[in-house]
């Protein structure tokens, strides 16, 4: 909007993006044709993004397009047979408590932040992959 785009269009495309994000967060849809899987973030690609398996950590960042992950080396294909996705946060036990799901990761991250000695280590807690801390 600061660049002159009318607010109606900004919110319209934001709403479309939210609908698409709802769609890719499903386990009921399998694989799409290869060309779709190559260009777009699909439920299969996005499941890998949420995995805590070593192969899936820090992969598949695309929200709508996955092609950039392929170009920049952050793409991994979901392997539902040999390496099914394990959801959750690295090193955390899974829970069905909604509040626990949302807030427990942040609580533990801030605990590690305040325990870390020195600014460099504190920033590492916030900005490094979970395995690096």
């Amino acid at each position: 909007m600061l660049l002159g785009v009318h607010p109606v269009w900004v919110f319209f495309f934001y709403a479309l993006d939210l609908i698409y994000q709802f769609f890719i967060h499903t386990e009921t849809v399998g694989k799409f044709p290869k060309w779709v899987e190559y260009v777009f973030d699909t439920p299969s690609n996005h499941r890998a993004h949420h995995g805590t398996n070593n192969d899936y950590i820090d992969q598949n960042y695309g929200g709508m397009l996955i092609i950039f992950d392929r170009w920049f080396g952050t793409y991994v294909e979901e392997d539902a047979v040999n390496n099914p996705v394990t959801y959750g946060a690295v090193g955390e036990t899974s829970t069905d408590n909604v509040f626990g799901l949302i807030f427990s990761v942040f609580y533990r991250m801030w605990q590690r932040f305040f325990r870390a000695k020195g600014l460099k280590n504190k920033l590492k807690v916030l900005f490094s992959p979970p395995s690096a801390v």
Side-chain angles (χ1 to χ4, degrees), residues 50-53 57 86-95 100-101 104-106 108 112 130:
H50 283 289
T52 60
N53 315 44
I57 293 175
T86 303
Y87 298 104
V90 174
E92 307 294 332
T93 56
S94 186
T95 178
L101 286 170
S104 64
V105 173
F106 295 106
R108 282 186 284 285
R112 287 193 315 266

Side-chain angles (χ1 to χ4, degrees), residues 2 15 21 41 50 61 74 126:
L2 295 173
Q21 292 301 312
D41 192 10
H50 283 289
Y61 291 105
T74 56
L126 297 178

Side-chain angles (χ1 to χ4, degrees), residues 44-104:
S44 174
N45 292 332
H46 202 69
R47 283 190 291 270
H49 166 75
H50 283 289
T52 60
N53 315 44
N54 284 336
D55 294 339
Y56 299 144
I57 293 175
D58 292 333
Q59 302 291 321
N60 297 7
Y61 291 105
M64 291 188 85
L65 299 174
I66 202 73
I67 196 163
F68 297 107
D69 286 291
R70 291 178 181 275
W71 291 350
F72 296 114
T74 56
Y75 175 79
V76 67
E77 188 167 342
E78 175 192 32
D79 184 356
V81 175
N82 299 316
N83 192 12
V85 174
T86 303
Y87 298 104
V90 174
E92 307 294 332
T93 56
S94 186
T95 178
D96 290 332
N97 179 328
V98 173
F99 294 105
L101 286 170
I102 295 170
F103 298 111
S104 64

